[in-house]
Amino acid sequence: MTIKNVVVAGGGVLGSQIAYQAAYKGFAVTVWLRSEGSVERAKPKFEQLRQTYLATLEAMKSDPAAYCRGLADTPELSVDEIEQLKQRAQQAFESIVFTTSYEAAAKDADLVIEAIAEDPKQKDAFYAELAKYLPESTILVTNSSTLLPSQIAASTGRPEKFLALHFANRIWRNNTAEVMGHPGTDQAAYDEVVRFAADLGMVPLQLHKEQPGYILNSMLVPFLNAAEALYATGVADPETIDKTWMLGTGAPLGPFRILDIVGLTTAYNIVVLDPRTKDPDSVPAKIAAALKERIDAGKTGVDAGEGFYRYN
Amino acid sequence: MTIKNVVVAGGGVLGSQIAYQAAYKGFAVTVWLRSEGSVERAKPKFEQLRQTYLATLEAMKSDPAAYCRGLADTPELSVDEIEQLKQRAQQAFESIVFTTSYEAAAKDADLVIEAIAEDPKQKDAFYAELAKYLPESTILVTNSSTLLPSQIAASTGRPEKFLALHFANRIWRNNTAEVMGHPGTDQAAYDEVVRFAADLGMVPLQLHKEQPGYILNSMLVPFLNAAEALYATGVADPETIDKTWMLGTGAPLGPFRILDIVGLTTAYNIVVLDPRTKDPDSVPAKIAAALKERIDAGKTGVDAGEGFYRYN
């Protein structure tokens, strides 16, 4: 099978990016949304993406640092080639079809990418309704960060053609796609999704097993947690901890710069999942308290203009 | 107090580097070693360091990538300035005094840097004997990676003037110095050591509390452990895990490249400290087994020419 028709369910931050990128790469894209109200709320995101793609491509004409791996396989592009890519970005914007109908979305779909709310009930209802209209050959993937595909598989009605394809925010720049099946996923469907991810301009990162947090967060969470513990227990300040990591490993960012990008609220929500936070003298509780103090002061990270550092 | 006379105890990898760097930065350096045999074994290390310093400085004349932060505060150096630094490196080599006498080492010491074997008994015996000859004002620091200063403090006879100053391998390039006291360390001695570290061309990284693993290893160990777990449980291969980390965080090296530099034997020795390794089905046991398989095949890392990757 060759994937041509791609349905993206959900018009949130990631859903809109995935849909836009798929259209940019020449797939026929339908965005399924729950209601006309959702469609109206999603459309400005697509207009914003159009502007971002066009502005980034324009900047790539003169600034090597502007290059985004998702936009082109190589930074070595002539002005003419970039102009063609800008046309593609414009056509992508015009080509995307919006629908609130399961049937219309499903009927010709080669691949459905589900990027709706991280709520198991909503996901189950979505998959169950969609299943009524889907051609037998359609592959389904979820972009869920917090649910494992095995937790959703049964409700899809086609567990063998269901797996996870997990994107990073700003996919035109951070072009990784973690591909993860559940024990019942067919290898053929898995391989098809790996090919699709590459065609989408992503670097497919293959997991051979289900893993909560996929690959990146499985390392990032304990790393950030260790850094947070050093700060929350008074061993060292964020600037010193960041400097140590950068000098010691050559990394461009220390953990507290990364936390500012991830957002302190997200970091807090992860920490409080730890049952040890119930004991106020535990390290996780101290981490939670240190994060909450900043969150309560509105210092939630880069997006707020301040987190552990100030941004202008 | 101004530190002028520096004694380095131990002529191993780090001891020789610390002594050489201190002499290069203009301190009067005495290296204390246990026996004449130790002196003879240490001297070739100093000759090797002389060659490394001279060759690196020579390379800095034409290659910006050769710049090492420990050798000069700025990479913007004229050929004349580099020639002067080469003279310093040569003079450093000639100026270092070797002794096996506690008394000769101790009598004029402003600072003693202990970098002997990581054996509490040897360290206690060393400090107890040294204490007989040391001037009252002398500050003592340990470069121990695995023992906390509070575990050694009593045997020094001057716990208030005792703390840890922890260096990274290849200190002329990786110029970090973690400064860590124990609860009984005087602030004045701590501050003096911070100043000394800066004068030594290091970036002083201040810890406000005792912390096993200092700052860097407190983050590096759980990070590497998470990566090892992904590999040892079959979630993904080292290349994919490294690629994920590099693409996801912009880091120049993934965890398995770092493990190859650290050395798989060191990583193995850390993992087997975990009591869960007794259960062969546990994740730590799987990590230990995966590391041991490579170690048994001689693939212990960069120094062996192969670890998770091959090196020429």
Side-chain angles (χ1 to χ4, degrees):
Chain A
M1 188 182 80
T2 307
I3 290 169
K4 284 181 197 143
N5 298 323
V6 174
V7 173
V8 178
V13 172
L14 258 298
S16 58
Q17 293 180 14
I18 298 163
Y20 203 94
Q21 177 72 16
Y24 173 74
K25 285 290 181 176
F27 294 95
V29 176
T30 300
V31 175
W32 177 89
L33 294 160
R34 195 167 300 280
S35 67
E36 290 301 332
S38 311
V39 174
E40 291 317 305
R41 284 191 296 277
K43 281 189 170 167
K45 293 199 187 89
F46 287 87
E47 169 57 23
Q48 185 62 53
L49 286 166
R50 185 184 72 89
Q51 290 176 23
T52 300
Y53 275 56
L54 291 176
T56 306
L57 286 163
E58 184 62 30
M60 281 165 56
K61 286 182 184 170
S62 54
D63 177 8
Y67 172 65
C68 289
R69 295 182 306 258
L71 296 182
D73 292 342
T74 167
E76 310 291 331
L77 296 168
S78 68
V79 168
D80 273 1
E81 288 168 322
I82 290 179
E83 278 302 321
Q84 287 172 29
L85 293 176
K86 285 177 69 179
Q87 281 186 26
R88 277 217 246 161
Q90 181 61 38
Q91 284 160 7
F93 180 72
E94 291 156 8
S95 74
I96 295 169
V97 173
F98 294 86
T99 185
T100 59
S101 155
Y102 283 94
E103 187 170 4
K107 68 176 168 25
D108 299 319
D110 299 317
L111 176 70
V112 176
I113 302 173
E114 174 268 302
I116 65 172
E118 292 282 60
D119 170 357
K121 279 188 190 161
Q122 278 190 49
K123 286 195 198 287
D124 283 348
F126 167 79
Y127 284 109
E129 186 63 21
L130 187 74
K132 297 179 187 169
Y133 309 102
L134 274 188
E136 202 181 320
S137 62
T138 309
I139 296 174
L140 302 177
V141 297
T142 179
N143 179 50
S144 178
S145 296
T146 57
L147 298 168
L148 292 170
S150 61
Q151 296 174 278
I152 306 172
S155 65
T156 67
R158 58 182 73 204
E160 73 288 353
K161 289 203 178 72
F162 176 65
L163 59 151
L165 181 62
H166 183 244
F167 294 90
N169 191 19
R170 304 177 80 216
I171 74 170
W172 63 92
R173 180 182 285 276
N174 305 320
N175 68 331
T176 57
E178 294 178 289
V179 187
M180 180 171 84
H182 62 91
T185 305
D186 273 358
Q187 189 63 39
Y190 183 98
D191 293 344
E192 191 76 53
V193 170
V194 170
R195 273 193 297 277
F196 167 75
D199 291 342
L200 195 62
M202 303 292 111
V203 178
L205 299 165
Q206 300 188 41
L207 287 87
H208 307 309
K209 269 188 188 178
E210 277 204 327
Q211 167 71 23
Y214 299 83
I215 300 173
L216 184 58
N217 285 337
S218 292
M219 296 187 279
L220 202 54
V221 170
F223 161 63
L224 294 177
N225 191 59
E228 292 162 6
L230 289 171
Y231 165 62
T233 60
V235 172
D237 54 65
E239 292 79 5
T240 299
I241 297 168
D242 276 4
K243 198 174 8 170
T244 304
W245 185 254
M246 292 189 288
L247 289 171
T249 69
L253 298 175
F256 290 93
R257 286 271 176 205
I258 294 175
L259 279 165
D260 276 355
I261 295 168
V262 168
L264 274 64
T265 309
T266 301
Y268 177 80
N269 290 338
I270 293 170
V271 170
V272 293
L273 293 175
D274 189 324
R276 288 173 296 173
T277 47
K278 282 170 194 161
D279 171 6
D281 292 331
S282 71
V283 173
K286 286 178 183 167
I287 292 172
L291 289 170
K292 189 159 188 307
E293 191 183 325
R294 277 179 198 259
I295 292 166
D296 288 347
K299 299 173 185 176
T300 55
V302 174
D303 288 346
E306 187 169 357
F308 289 100
Y309 297 91
R310 284 195 186 181
Y311 304 88
N312 292 326
Chain B
M1 188 182 81
T2 306
I3 290 169
K4 285 183 197 141
N5 298 322
V6 173
V7 173
V8 178
V13 172
L14 257 297
S16 58
Q17 292 180 15
I18 297 163
Y20 203 93
Q21 178 72 16
Y24 173 74
K25 284 291 182 177
F27 294 95
V29 175
T30 300
V31 175
W32 177 88
L33 294 160
R34 195 167 300 281
S35 67
E36 289 302 330
S38 311
V39 173
E40 290 318 304
R41 285 191 296 278
K43 281 189 171 168
K45 294 200 188 87
F46 287 87
E47 168 56 21
Q48 186 62 53
L49 285 166
R50 185 183 72 89
Q51 289 176 24
T52 299
Y53 274 57
L54 291 176
T56 306
L57 287 162
E58 184 62 31
M60 280 165 56
K61 286 182 183 170
S62 54
D63 176 7
Y67 171 64
C68 289
R69 295 182 305 258
L71 297 182
D73 293 340
T74 167
E76 310 292 331
L77 296 167
S78 68
V79 168
D80 273 2
E81 287 168 323
I82 291 179
E83 279 301 320
Q84 286 173 25
L85 293 177
K86 286 177 68 177
Q87 280 185 27
R88 277 217 244 163
Q90 182 61 39
Q91 285 160 5
F93 180 73
E94 291 157 6
S95 73
I96 294 169
V97 173
F98 294 87
T99 184
T100 60
S101 155
Y102 282 93
E103 187 171 2
K107 67 177 169 27
D108 299 319
D110 298 317
L111 175 71
V112 176
I113 303 173
E114 173 268 303
I116 66 173
E118 292 283 58
D119 170 356
K121 278 187 190 160
Q122 278 191 49
K123 285 197 199 285
D124 284 347
F126 167 79
Y127 284 109
E129 186 64 22
L130 187 74
K132 296 179 187 168
Y133 308 102
L134 272 188
E136 200 180 323
S137 60
T138 309
I139 295 173
L140 302 178
V141 297
T142 178
N143 179 50
S144 177
S145 295
T146 56
L147 298 169
L148 292 169
S150 60
Q151 295 174 282
I152 307 172
S155 66
T156 66
R158 58 182 72 202
E160 74 288 353
K161 290 203 178 71
F162 176 66
L163 60 151
L165 180 63
H166 183 243
F167 295 89
N169 191 19
R170 304 178 77 217
I171 73 171
W172 63 92
R173 180 180 285 276
N174 305 320
N175 67 331
T176 56
E178 294 177 290
V179 187
M180 180 172 83
H182 62 90
T185 303
D186 273 358
Q187 189 63 38
Y190 184 97
D191 294 343
E192 191 77 53
V193 169
V194 170
R195 273 193 296 275
F196 166 75
D199 291 343
L200 194 62
M202 302 293 113
V203 178
L205 300 165
Q206 300 189 40
L207 288 87
H208 306 308
K209 269 189 187 176
E210 276 203 328
Q211 166 71 24
Y214 300 84
I215 299 173
L216 183 59
N217 285 337
S218 292
M219 295 186 279
L220 202 54
V221 169
F223 162 63
L224 294 176
N225 191 58
E228 291 162 7
L230 290 171
Y231 164 62
T233 59
V235 172
D237 54 64
E239 292 79 4
T240 299
I241 297 168
D242 276 5
K243 202 180 353 175
T244 305
W245 184 255
M246 290 189 290
L247 289 171
T249 69
L253 298 175
F256 291 94
R257 287 271 175 203
I258 295 176
L259 279 165
D260 276 355
I261 295 169
V262 169
L264 274 65
T265 309
T266 301
Y268 177 80
N269 289 339
I270 292 171
V271 170
V272 294
L273 292 177
D274 189 322
R276 289 173 294 173
T277 48
K278 282 171 193 157
D279 171 7
D281 292 330
S282 70
V283 173
K286 286 178 183 169
I287 292 172
L291 289 170
K292 190 162 187 307
E293 193 183 324
R294 278 178 197 259
I295 292 166
D296 289 347
K299 300 172 183 175
T300 54
V302 175
D303 289 346
E306 188 169 356
F308 289 99
Y309 297 91
R310 284 196 185 180
Y311 304 88
N312 293 325

